Amino acid sequence: MDSRTPEKPRYLNGLVSIFTMVVMGGSSGGRIWGRFLAFLTALLLTAFGPVLGFQKKQEFPPDPVRVISEAVILDIVVRDRDGNLMTDLRPDEIEVFDNGKPQEILSLECRSCLSEVLVEQAGSEAVPAPRAIGNRTAQEEGTASSIEDEIHLVSLVFQGLTQQGRNLAHQAALDFLGDGLPPNTYLAVFRMSRTLVPLLNYTNDRTAIERALGIIVGADYDQLPGLTDESPDSIGSSAASEVTPGGGPGGPTGAVSGSAAQADAALASIMEVSSRVRSYHQGQAITDSLMSLILGQRALDGRKTVLFFSEGLFVPKRTADRWEMMMSEANLANVSIYSIDARGVTPSKNLGGVASGLQTATGISAQQRSTVGGSLAFSDMLMFENVEDAIRMDVQQPLRKLADQTGGSFIVSNNPDVEMRRVREDLTSYCKLAYRPRELVYDGSFHKVGVKVSRPGVRVLTRKGYFALPPAGDDPIEAYEVPLLHTLSAGKDGRRFPGGTAVFHYDISEQGIEHVVALRVPLEKLEFRKDKSDQTFLLHFSLMALITDPVGRIVHRLSQDYPLGGSLDQYEAYRRGSVFFSRRVELVPGEYKLSVLLFDQLKNERFTEESMLTVRSEESSVSVSSLVVVDRVEPLSARPEEATNPLRYGRAKIVPNLKTPIHLGNRGQIGFHYVIYPDPSNPEDPILALFILSEGRPIYQGLPLVPARNSHGNIRLVSSLPADLFKAGEYEVWAVVKHGEEYSEEFASFEIVE
């Protein structure tokens, strides 16, 4: 798509020439009617004329996204085969790989040996302290603090523990404390259930820490907020924020009739669905709570560690993408997670979930084979998902992976004192390594990171990778964006996006040309879930638009989550409706790609669409925005961003028609919205001509009256034409604006159906 006007039809060139000849002065009073009559007369006599050229060119600042000065920062812990720490490493002993390609080490600094090695590039001065991709809000170049001055944040998180598990976790936490916290180390305590609840803010006060840990083994532990909908009013200055998991699919239930065997089967089906729903929500809640903890620390420099005490995790297939993105976000924020299995050494419990899950799937399969002519239960439809999830039911596996992917370690022991002392050592004796990726492109893909040490028999702990996203400190990855970005990273092809897309251009600013990205999602293409027991329905989808430059760097990431629902009497209206998404962006002239990603959360289905976008510079002192065919008008909300919404018109907001056929029976007029930007140095009123073409020939031409400029110096218009002017077919509308000796023009197309 092109955000500016394409080449005009030859017939319109003649119309523009007529307009040039007959409209040479002001536009007020009776003079406009005389010119209008001359315009119509000349229309019958004129030959085709040349297209007018432009002279003035707008200058824009360079695009900051195109300059890559960020580096990847890795905290690495190296131990020999006997478990002893190694902090006397040299850069020539270390190899770093980014997506399998070797990288040049910029700097290496180790904490225990109190030495720093700074690698110099050939023919240049010493490399300055780099900004971090791994820590997006790292300090500016030249101001990075020494590793000896770094602050260490330690978060103790206790998730869903039995009394026995709490006892083991409590002792492990005390073993970690030892005789006291290391210098510059601050510790906080959190409880995780449905939400993340802070029990103690970051402090180095041992007495306060021990008191908070005492709550973990106390009798009142189960009464703490988080098991119910109750939540604390404020978390104070804690780096974490409370996260309540989003909505998910509910299990359908129905009346049970027939024999006792059928009733038992129905009950089993209900319980199976209920179990899956609980597992889905639990996996989502844990992921979102960890994400909130990670994002809360993202803006902080220094070493950040999470000690995650759990009795095992089940990550359902439907939340796997979200889990992967959470671990990537931990890598981006430079957060290492140490997973501690609070059950101790209990290998039989790890495989019990796998056996139970496979037994359930086998039972469902047997029930299907023995059922003749009966209706298919909801759990029957989940048989294959049961098999896949059963394989995932080794509840230690997610704990292992969580630690491995984020540079921590997995601990399982009935007496974890030795392991916890090693964790403490990891925090006080480590090396910080920096490298700048040779071929980094902000395309949202996942980059695997590997570190090799040439000494034999060593073990290296470090994070395993990151998503290549621009360092946008105020734009964190939201949980609902996980499956969308995962689709992009994995190169997955979804079904074609079922809605409409458009990019409209508007005014020029110092940052570029103002645009509006508009998307329409027809809800009938998405999954609806009905719950007849409480007479409600729900649907849930997420939408994202990515604008990338010619080398694939993400310039803008725009998204929104839509958990929708209502009563069953609204069901048909919702299915026939659509959701309109719009975001304002600024783009400098150039070529871009627009990628649209839609994820149906209930159906686990992806839709994609890609198109090219050309942004041209405005070369005239007068300009006109994109012509928007009006679909409907909605009240302007009170949100602050609506004050600068280019689609606003008075106290209303224009909802564009995005290539949807217009039914004449639904309206009495066809409207077009656009904005004229006159030459600020010319006090005269601009003159506007409007043309409607059908099959390349004009069916309407006129000179609409142009209102006065508003307080911003522009002119917002809605031009409406009676619907009976049109019949079924395809049309083009052109607007040509003349101001002084300068011209600008715009065009849009639309389709009319009976």
Side-chain angles (χ1 to χ4, degrees):
M1 65 183 69
D2 193 330
S3 72
R4 308 299 305 182
T5 303
E7 182 180 359
K8 296 186 294 295
R10 292 184 63 234
Y11 195 92
L12 189 63
N13 290 342
L15 298 182
V16 173
S17 298
I18 300 167
F19 178 65
T20 304
M21 290 186 293
V22 302
V23 185
M24 298 299 295
S27 60
S28 60
R31 298 173 60 189
I32 187 67
W33 288 106
R35 292 191 179 92
F36 181 55
L37 293 175
F39 170 80
L40 294 177
T41 303
L43 175 63
L44 302 175
L45 303 174
T46 185
F48 301 126
V51 179
L52 298 173
F54 303 114
Q55 303 297 326
K56 188 176 179 180
K57 186 177 180 64
Q58 174 74 28
E59 299 294 335
F60 295 96
D63 184 355
V65 176
R66 300 176 183 272
V67 181
I68 299 180
S69 61
E70 289 77 20
V72 175
I73 307 297
L74 298 177
D75 289 341
I76 61 173
V77 176
V78 183
R79 293 182 181 270
D80 62 20
R81 64 186 63 189
D82 297 322
N84 300 313
L85 286 165
M86 302 175 64
T87 56
D88 59 343
L89 300 173
R90 303 186 309 273
D92 60 349
E93 297 179 293
I94 300 176
E95 289 183 283
V96 180
F97 300 87
D98 193 304
N99 271 351
K101 298 181 180 179
Q103 305 293 318
E104 179 184 1
I105 297 176
L106 299 179
S107 64
L108 175 69
E109 186 180 3
C110 295
R111 181 178 176 88
S112 291
C113 63
L114 301 180
S115 64
E116 180 180 357
V117 180
L118 186 63
V119 180
E120 296 189 4
Q121 295 178 339
S124 66
E125 298 180 356
V127 178
R131 289 174 55 84
I133 293 174
N135 183 3
R136 296 186 192 172
T137 54
Q139 300 184 14
E140 296 291 337
E141 296 186 5
T143 64
S145 60
S146 168
I147 192 173
E148 289 299 317
D149 299 326
E150 282 190 337
I151 291 178
H152 301 257
L153 295 182
V154 180
S155 306
L156 304 185
V157 179
F158 299 86
Q159 184 269 323
L161 303 179
T162 62
Q163 184 62 55
Q164 181 180 352
R166 283 184 271 151
N167 291 337
L168 188 147
H170 176 260
Q171 185 57 51
L174 292 178
D175 292 336
F176 171 78
L177 279 179
D179 297 330
L181 291 175
N184 296 333
T185 301
Y186 299 86
L187 184 145
V189 181
F190 298 88
R191 182 189 186 281
M192 181 189 294
S193 180
R194 293 184 182 179
T195 59
L196 186 66
V197 180
L199 305 181
L200 179 68
N201 199 1
Y202 291 96
T203 181
N204 57 7
D205 184 339
R206 183 183 178 89
T207 301
I209 295 172
E210 290 182 345
R211 185 165 56 247
L213 292 177
I215 298 175
I216 301 300
V217 292
D220 296 334
Y221 179 80
D222 290 335
Q223 305 302 319
L224 294 172
L227 285 178
T228 66
D229 292 335
E230 180 183 358
S231 61
D233 294 332
S234 175
I235 298 180
S237 58
S238 170
S241 61
E242 182 181 358
V243 171
T244 301
T253 61
V256 179
S257 60
S259 67
Q262 289 176 317
D264 290 342
L267 178 60
S269 175
I270 292 171
M271 296 308 296
E272 167 65 12
V273 173
S274 176
S275 174
R276 300 189 62 79
V277 170
R278 286 198 306 271
S279 297
Y280 174 83
H281 282 295
Q282 183 187 43
Q284 182 172 305
I286 293 171
T287 303
D288 289 353
S289 294
L290 284 173
M291 182 77 84
S292 73
L293 184 63
I294 291 164
L295 294 179
Q297 301 181 62
R298 184 173 55 86
L300 305 174
D301 290 324
R303 188 158 167 76
K304 291 154 282 188
T305 303
V306 175
L307 304 186
F308 184 63
F309 297 92
S310 174
E311 296 187 11
L313 297 175
F314 170 55
V315 181
K317 177 177 179 292
R318 293 188 180 187
T319 62
D321 285 346
R322 188 181 299 235
W323 181 259
E324 294 287 338
M325 184 61 77
M326 180 273 296
M327 291 187 290
S328 176
E329 193 66 35
N331 288 328
L332 284 166
N334 204 25
V335 175
S336 297
I337 301 177
Y338 289 75
S339 301
I340 301 97
D341 189 337
R343 299 173 303 169
V345 181
T346 54
S348 60
K349 292 184 180 180
N350 301 331
L351 300 179
V354 179
S356 175
L358 289 175
Q359 184 176 4
T360 299
T362 304
I364 293 173
S365 178
Q367 180 183 348
Q368 285 183 331
R369 291 194 301 270
S370 63
T371 300
V372 179
S375 60
L376 191 64
F378 186 68
S379 60
D380 299 344
M381 296 183 287
L382 296 175
M383 180 186 68
F384 296 106
E385 192 171 347
N386 264 307
V387 173
E388 183 170 352
D389 278 346
I391 298 172
R392 306 166 68 90
M393 280 186 177
D394 177 357
V395 293
Q396 276 190 353
Q397 191 274 341
L399 294 178
R400 292 191 194 97
K401 186 173 182 179
L402 181 62
D404 179 68
Q405 293 294 312
T406 60
S409 60
F410 172 64
I411 298 170
V412 53
S413 173
N414 292 329
N415 298 290
D417 54 332
V418 175
E419 288 83 355
M420 298 309 295
R421 284 199 297 269
R422 286 189 175 181
V423 174
R424 180 187 174 94
E425 291 175 353
D426 290 352
L427 302 185
T428 56
S429 300
Y430 65 97
C431 297
K432 185 177 290 292
L433 178 152
Y435 74 92
R436 182 171 292 122
R438 299 178 186 272
E439 300 178 2
L440 179 65
V441 175
Y442 292 139
D443 58 1
S445 64
F446 184 78
H447 283 233
K448 294 182 179 180
V449 174
V451 177
K452 293 183 179 180
V453 177
S454 60
R455 300 185 192 184
V458 301
R459 180 188 177 211
V460 179
L461 292 181
T462 190
R463 58 195 178 96
K464 295 300 189 291
Y466 61 92
F467 276 89
L469 293 170
D474 296 327
D475 189 21
I477 298 173
E478 300 290 346
Y480 68 83
E481 295 180 308
V482 171
L484 298 168
L485 287 172
H486 187 71
T487 298
L488 178 70
S489 176
K492 296 180 180 179
D493 293 327
R495 297 178 59 187
R496 181 172 177 81
F497 179 67
T501 65
V503 180
F504 305 117
H505 72 85
Y506 290 90
D507 203 2
I508 298 173
S509 69
E510 294 182 357
Q511 287 73 38
I513 300 175
E514 182 182 39
H515 287 73
V516 169
V517 178
L519 309 174
R520 183 185 63 85
V521 180
L523 298 184
E524 65 180 358
K525 303 296 184 180
L526 303 176
E527 178 82 1
F528 281 70
R529 295 273 174 89
K530 294 181 181 180
D531 189 338
K532 294 183 179 179
S533 62
D534 61 2
Q535 294 293 298
T536 61
F537 72 90
L538 63 87
L539 69 156
H540 188 183
F541 66 94
S542 305
L543 189 62
M544 177 182 290
L546 291 176
I547 300 177
T548 53
D549 67 9
V551 297
R553 301 186 189 109
I554 297 176
V555 180
H556 291 286
R557 185 178 95 245
L558 317 168
S559 68
Q560 186 165 332
D561 191 40
Y562 293 92
L564 305 175
S567 59
L568 283 183
D569 58 358
Q570 300 173 306
Y571 174 77
E572 289 300 332
Y574 263 80
R575 283 195 65 87
R576 293 193 301 268
S578 60
V579 166
F580 174 69
F581 169 97
S582 68
R583 291 292 186 274
R584 175 184 174 276
V585 299
E586 290 177 326
L587 297 168
V588 299
E591 301 292 331
Y592 300 89
K593 182 172 73 173
L594 173 66
S595 301
V596 178
L597 306 169
L598 170 66
F599 180 57
D600 187 335
Q601 299 274 2
L602 300 187
K603 200 175 182 180
N604 196 29
E605 189 171 30
R606 295 165 171 83
F607 303 84
T608 61
E609 179 176 303
E610 292 184 348
S611 58
M612 301 308 297
L613 171 64
T614 300
V615 177
R616 305 183 188 276
S617 60
E618 180 57 65
E619 300 175 326
S620 174
S621 58
V622 60
S623 63
V624 61
S625 74
S626 295
L627 270 171
V628 174
V629 181
V630 178
D631 183 78
R632 64 183 186 274
V633 178
E634 296 180 346
L636 198 64
S637 72
R639 292 181 300 178
E641 60 267 25
E642 294 287 25
T644 58
N645 187 349
L647 291 171
R648 71 189 186 280
Y649 184 71
R651 297 183 179 180
K653 177 174 63 177
I654 301 297
V655 177
N657 176 283
L658 302 181
K659 307 297 183 182
T660 302
I662 300 172
H663 292 265
L664 288 179
N666 295 342
R667 60 181 70 197
Q669 293 181 321
I670 307 295
F672 312 98
H673 175 259
Y674 47 105
V675 185
I676 298 174
Y677 302 98
D679 182 354
S681 63
N682 187 346
E684 296 182 358
D685 295 331
I687 302 171
L688 169 68
L690 202 63
F691 308 96
I692 304 292
L693 305 181
S694 176
E695 298 180 353
R697 303 193 64 81
I699 65 167
Y700 171 85
Q701 53 276 323
L703 301 178
L705 294 177
V706 179
R709 308 179 200 191
N710 58 28
S711 59
H712 300 285
N714 56 57
I715 303 169
R716 296 181 176 273
L717 302 99
V718 171
S719 297
S720 298
L721 296 175
D724 56 13
L725 179 66
F726 303 91
K727 60 182 181 180
E730 297 182 352
Y731 295 85
E732 293 180 357
V733 53
W734 288 79
V736 182
V737 177
K738 177 180 184 295
H739 197 200
E741 300 302 319
E742 299 286 340
Y743 301 85
S744 185
E745 59 206 28
E746 263 303 326
F747 131 100
S749 61
F750 57 97
E751 181 184 2
I752 300 291
V753 294
E754 296 293 346

